[in-house]
Amino acid sequence: MKKNIIELKNITVAFGEEKVLNKLNLSIKNGEFVTILGPSGCGKTTTLRLIAGFANPNEGDILFNGENIIGIPPYKRSVNTIFQRYALFPHLNVYENIAFGLRVKKVPEKEIEERVSDVINMVNLKGFEKRDISKLSGGQQQRVAIARAVINRPDVLLLDEPLAALDAKLRKDMQVELKNIQKNLGITFIFVTHDQEEALTISDTVIVMNEGVVQQIGTPKDIYNEPKNAFVADFIGESNILSGIMKADFLTEFSGKEFTCLDRGFKENEEVDIVVRPEDVDIVPSLAGMLEGVVTSVNFLGVHYEIIVDIGGFKWMIQTTDEQKVGDKVGLNIEPDAIHVMKKSKYSNLYGDYSSFSDEIEPISFNNEGEI
Ligand SMILES: Nc1ncnc2c1ncn2[C@@H]1O[C@H](COP(=O)(O)OP(=O)(O)O)[C@@H](O)[C@H]1O
Ligand SMILES: [Mg+2]
């Protein structure tokens, strides 16, 4: 078992009347790549500032290796931060950018040489020592920023949306790169993003936040396959989210039909939320399915079609490689392992019906004759 390096306990941060973090609890394991994921304004940066020591909570405790660090100034914490703008020194070369902090501290020249050479190896910048910062690619600049941030050997590196400004292709490359650098260094990375795909790709553990509260902590697979509530299900990928009833263990009812599922432990006839991912629904001939519906929209995405099917007024999103036409009657089959049952929450009935989605894509989708 890995030990917790950081624990936030019952943290509240308020600006005036507004509680930006509200009794927030989370723990971070040593040596992991952890991502805090949530929409803009949910409190991600505030959480990082608390860990770095740039801000203090109104209530609650922050533990570092089991010891309370509230009141300990940033420079005495074994933590460093990389912001979205790397703020490298344009007039210094790669080596001098990385050495800068050590020079300020008047570390002996020989030790500077050794330590800079060490981190240059770890971030794969060997041979670039004399290069001008302005002659580096975005990815190489990011590596310099990381080298500079880890030269003082922090136990934890905080990264606040460092990839947000990059274009999609470079961003994907940098995700892989960051993950490799973290493995090489063997230290804890706490990475912040509002991009769910990025979070799933890059992390050992994802912490999903909304409205200043942790919604779920888990591996990318847990978060995707077993979302805790409708907010998490909706925020992580596409999902159909329906109201249902747990009739008994392994038996649920939604859309007026009963389905075998793999979930248990609910009260008899407990009202629940049901998630079915668009890729987990099978399209079958009309009347051969567990549910019947009418195709109201078709969108071709290259690998598959994304279609909207109206079932008794609820609009489902389904991804399929079979071509369907608007107006087609289709059957849907849903296997037990495609059904995920969640407790009702304050987010019930807010997400998961694609009615507005099909309106949005109407102009570029097919008309009733199946023509563009
Ligand atoms: N110094 C501050 N004074 C007042 N409100 C703030 C301050 N810092 C952050 N906030 C508010 O706190 C909320 C969370 O901010 P932040 O942690 O930056 O969110 P995120 O990084 O998830 O986008 C936002 O509503 C923001 O406006
Ligand atoms: Mg932020």
Side-chain angles (χ1 to χ4, degrees):
M1 268 295 276
K2 286 184 197 150
K3 270 177 55 185
N4 286 334
I5 186 158
I6 289 171
E7 289 165 85
L8 270 55
K9 298 200 157 167
N10 272 313
I11 295 288
T12 299
V13 171
F15 294 112
E17 292 290 286
E18 193 203 349
K19 282 189 178 160
V20 170
L21 300 180
N22 196 355
K23 297 201 184 341
L24 178 110
N25 284 290
L26 61 83
S27 50
I28 288 169
K29 291 206 171 66
N30 194 16
E32 285 205 334
F33 198 121
V34 177
T35 299
I36 302 180
L37 169 69
S40 182
C42 76
K44 302 182 296 296
T45 295
T46 304
T47 305
L48 286 196
R49 287 171 53 81
L50 293 176
I51 295 170
F54 299 133
N56 285 312
N58 298 73
E59 281 169 42
D61 289 323
I62 303 174
L63 308 186
F64 195 97
N65 283 328
E67 281 182 33
N68 204 328
I69 54 166
I70 287 180
I72 297 197
Y75 66 91
K76 287 194 178 158
R77 300 188 183 192
S78 189
V79 172
N80 212 339
T81 308
I82 293 184
F83 298 98
Q84 192 173 319
R85 294 172 196 283
Y86 311 138
L88 300 173
F89 303 118
H91 57 290
L92 299 180
N93 65 21
V94 168
Y95 182 97
E96 290 303 326
N97 260 277
I98 299 171
F100 187 82
L102 299 180
R103 290 213 194 289
V104 170
K105 282 195 180 167
K106 306 224 177 334
V107 172
E109 194 59 32
K110 186 155 182 319
E111 189 182 337
I112 293 181
E113 261 172 43
E114 282 168 18
R115 286 172 65 178
V116 173
S117 156
D118 266 3
V119 291
I120 280 190
N121 282 332
M122 280 190 278
V123 302
N124 277 324
L125 277 173
K126 210 167 164 48
F128 288 88
E129 290 86 346
K130 298 252 156 56
R131 193 72 70 91
D132 272 3
I133 287 298
S134 59
K135 300 241 165 67
L136 297 178
S137 70
Q140 290 162 340
Q141 287 188 16
Q142 165 140 322
R143 283 187 249 167
V144 176
I146 292 172
R148 200 177 55 176
V150 299
I151 192 80
N152 280 324
R153 302 170 180 158
D155 292 309
V156 177
L157 188 63
L158 308 176
L159 304 102
D160 196 352
E161 312 226 19
L163 308 183
L166 307 179
D167 66 65
K169 173 83 172 63
L170 180 58
R171 193 175 172 143
K172 286 240 155 79
D173 292 347
M174 285 314 299
Q175 289 169 4
V176 176
E177 182 106 353
L178 267 184
K179 179 110 196 169
N180 286 338
I181 290 175
Q182 186 266 338
K183 271 205 200 125
N184 266 348
L185 292 169
I187 65 173
T188 309
F189 273 31
I190 308 179
F191 178 89
V192 159
T193 183
H194 60 270
D195 181 329
Q196 52 97 10
E197 207 178 307
E198 181 161 279
L200 296 185
T201 308
I202 208 167
S203 322
D204 298 314
T205 299
V206 180
I207 300 174
V208 185
M209 265 180 81
N210 191 38
E211 299 177 311
V213 175
V214 170
Q215 304 292 326
Q216 187 166 358
I217 301 183
T219 64
K221 274 189 191 160
D222 286 343
I223 301 272
Y224 189 82
N225 293 330
E226 313 274 325
K228 277 257 166 68
N229 62 36
F231 173 81
V232 178
D234 179 75
F235 196 67
I236 314 292
E238 304 289 349
S239 0
N240 303 289
I241 308 172
L242 301 104
S243 284
I245 294 169
M246 247 357 234
K247 308 294 279 188
D249 282 352
F250 312 117
L251 185 67
T252 184
E253 182 188 296
F254 56 89
S255 302
K257 292 272 167 66
E258 288 188 350
F259 295 82
T260 304
C261 62
L262 304 179
D263 303 77
R264 50 180 273 194
F266 293 84
K267 290 199 279 288
E268 196 180 311
N269 290 323
E270 182 171 339
E271 289 185 31
V272 291
D273 287 334
I274 305 286
V275 190
V276 181
R277 297 288 184 184
E279 68 273 22
D280 291 339
V281 179
D282 296 325
I283 303 268
V284 295
S286 179
L287 301 177
M290 297 157 143
L291 294 169
E292 299 295 320
V294 178
V295 177
T296 63
S297 156
V298 176
N299 203 14
F300 180 57
L301 294 183
V303 179
H304 59 254
Y305 296 88
E306 208 162 66
I307 68 173
I308 304 294
V309 177
D310 186 322
I311 299 173
F314 190 96
K315 301 238 170 127
W316 290 61
M317 176 191 274
I318 294 158
Q319 290 165 355
T320 172
T321 48
D322 301 330
E323 188 171 357
Q324 308 292 334
K325 289 195 202 65
V326 170
D328 280 355
K329 285 207 171 83
V330 293
L332 308 186
N333 271 354
I334 304 167
E335 297 295 325
D337 64 356
I339 296 168
H340 172 62
V341 180
M342 307 182 297
K343 289 252 175 216
K344 284 275 177 200
S345 71
K346 65 184 278 204
Y347 300 110
S348 296
N349 306 318
L350 294 180
Y351 307 108
D353 173 356
Y354 283 86
S355 295
S356 56
F357 178 87
S358 54
D359 292 343
E360 266 166 45
I361 63 167
E362 203 95 320
I364 53 157
S365 88
F366 297 76
N367 66 18
N368 282 333
E369 280 73 53
E371 293 158 357
I372 293 172

